[in-house]
């Protein structure tokens, strides 16, 4: 497969900025909403620079506060569900968030990603009208998940397509927000090359709030040290690298090409 045929899947988890609450801090509703909004504006500017078409996994609650911004996203990108709220979940949220996002965006919503990549009930997901799930990072992250046994690339589970985040062959080194943030860019490029030599696509995700300076928050260094302008520069370098190695496309585009094969 040539470089032109390789697919580059960039996805963005748009949610209430609630990560400080995992570390015992309170976050006002205004900060939860506005910090993500500021980061999202920077994300869209960066995507325009590199002509990125991406998938935005958005909580319905956040979307309800910024409907015009959601419609701006929908004009060029795929809108998918990140549940209704980021901190709480019930299976009723699966259909509820999909319908709410469709109404706001004017776009059919076919994809889902569970907050914090928790496990999803596939039967419930299919019943709620979804075509695919992207809640799998097929590696081991201490305290979060151990998914070494799962396939690294596109597969099906109970008739639902699963689009995992990319990890390298053999070592299963993950290419996701924490690794890109904490490793030198040359390390990220090295493992990305390995993935693209082996796989037909690379899938990477991050959060808009990472593009806001987080130094004032009491967060671990591995979350806040590379944030704001530093994270913007890191993503700029990574997207520049990826642009030369494939075609940016949304998750739903990958599935459309799969159906045509």
């Amino acid at each position: 497969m040539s470089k032109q045929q390789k697919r580059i899947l960039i996805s963005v988890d748009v949610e209430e900025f609630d990560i400080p609450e995992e570390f015992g801090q309170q976050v006002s509703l205004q900060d939860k909403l506005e910090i993500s909004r500021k980061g999202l504006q920077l994300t869209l500017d960066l995507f325009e620079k590199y002509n990125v078409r991406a998938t935005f996994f958005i909580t319905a609650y956040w979307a309800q506060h910024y409907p015009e911004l959601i419609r701006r996203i929908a004009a060029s990108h795929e809108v998918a569900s990140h549940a209704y709220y980021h901190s709480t979940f019930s299976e009723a949220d699966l259909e509820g968030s999909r319908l709410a996002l469709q109404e706001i965006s004017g776009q059919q919503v076919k994809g889902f990603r569970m907050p914090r990549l928790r496990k999803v009930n596939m039967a419930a997901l299919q019943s709620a009208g979804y075509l695919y799930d992207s809640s799998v990072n097929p590696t081991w992250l201490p305290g979060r998940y151990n998914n070494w046994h799962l396939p690294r690339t596109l597969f099906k589970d109970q008739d639902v397509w699963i689009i995992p985040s990319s990890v390298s062959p053999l070592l299963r080194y993950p290419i996701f927000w924490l690794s890109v943030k904490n490793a030198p860019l040359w390390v990220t490029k090295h493992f990305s090359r390995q993935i693209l030599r082996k796989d037909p696509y690379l899938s990477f995700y991050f959060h808009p709030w990472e593009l806001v300076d987080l130094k004032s928050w009491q967060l671990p260094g591995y979350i806040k040290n590379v944030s704001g302008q530093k994270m913007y520069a890191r993503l700029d370098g990574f997207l520049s690298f990826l642009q030369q190695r494939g075609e940016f496309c949304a998750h739903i585009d990958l599935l459309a090409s799969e159906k045509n094969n």
Side-chain angles (χ1 to χ4, degrees), residues 185-201:
L185 188 54
W186 70 264
V187 173
T188 299
K189 290 179 178 180
H190 169 76
F191 285 107
S192 295
R193 289 189 190 98
Q194 285 192 359
I195 291 166
L196 288 169
R197 278 197 293 268
K198 179 76 172 177
D199 304 336
Y201 69 88

Side-chain angles (χ1 to χ4, degrees), residues 21-90:
E21 294 182 342
E22 294 187 44
F23 300 95
Q25 292 178 80
Q26 292 296 313
V27 186
S28 70
L29 177 58
Q30 182 178 1
D31 280 343
K32 284 183 177 182
L33 298 171
E34 279 294 301
I35 287 173
S36 286
R37 184 197 63 79
K38 290 176 183 177
L40 183 56
Q41 295 282 9
L42 292 167
T43 298
L44 291 171
D45 292 344
L46 193 56
F47 284 1
E48 287 180 9
K49 178 178 179 180
Y50 290 105
N51 196 27
V52 174
R53 172 167 160 79
T55 299
F56 287 77
F57 292 94
I58 309 170
T59 65
Y61 182 71
W62 194 93
Q64 287 168 340
H65 287 82
Y66 302 102
E68 292 183 5
L69 195 48
I70 300 306
R71 286 189 281 272
R72 177 185 167 190
I73 291 169
S76 302
H77 306 280
E78 178 189 6
V79 172
S81 173
H82 198 35
Y84 214 101
Y85 306 97
H86 196 253
S87 294
T88 62
F89 175 78
S90 71

Side-chain angles (χ1 to χ4, degrees), residues 82-235:
H82 198 35
Y84 214 101
Y85 306 97
H86 196 253
S87 294
T88 62
F89 175 78
S90 71
E91 286 191 355
D93 293 341
L94 292 172
E95 184 176 28
S97 64
R98 184 180 66 81
L99 295 175
L101 287 165
Q102 284 186 171
E103 182 178 359
I104 295 166
S105 68
Q107 186 182 111
Q108 291 293 305
V109 172
K110 296 295 185 181
F112 181 79
R113 176 174 289 156
M114 181 71 91
R116 299 179 177 88
L117 300 193
R118 295 192 179 104
K119 290 185 178 180
V120 187
N121 181 326
M122 288 297 118
L125 196 68
Q126 186 179 29
S127 178
Y130 291 94
L131 178 65
Y132 75 86
D133 173 61
S134 188
S135 306
V136 172
N137 192 345
T139 190
W140 175 58
L141 186 65
R144 287 290 193 188
Y145 41 74
N146 186 353
N147 294 324
W148 274 77
H149 62 290
L150 295 176
R152 291 190 312 106
T153 56
L154 185 69
F155 66 99
K156 268 194 168 182
D157 184 353
Q158 299 183 40
D159 292 325
V160 176
W161 286 102
I162 309 296
I163 306 178
S165 178
S166 285
V167 299
S168 70
L170 300 178
L171 288 178
R172 294 208 171 204
Y173 181 89
I175 301 297
F176 74 132
W177 68 284
L178 279 173
S179 64
V180 170
K181 181 189 296 285
N182 287 288
L185 188 54
W186 70 264
V187 173
T188 299
K189 290 179 178 180
H190 169 76
F191 285 107
S192 295
R193 289 189 190 98
Q194 285 192 359
I195 291 166
L196 288 169
R197 278 197 293 268
K198 179 76 172 177
D199 304 336
Y201 69 88
L202 181 145
S203 178
F204 160 71
Y205 75 95
F206 67 98
H207 312 86
W209 50 258
E210 298 176 62
L211 299 179
V212 177
D213 190 340
L214 302 177
K215 292 287 179 64
S216 64
W217 294 91
Q218 294 177 11
L219 295 167
Y222 62 82
I223 293 175
K224 71 178 182 179
N225 285 351
V226 177
S227 63
Q229 292 182 348
K230 287 184 178 179
M231 189 60 178
Y232 187 96
R234 186 69 56 87
L235 288 173

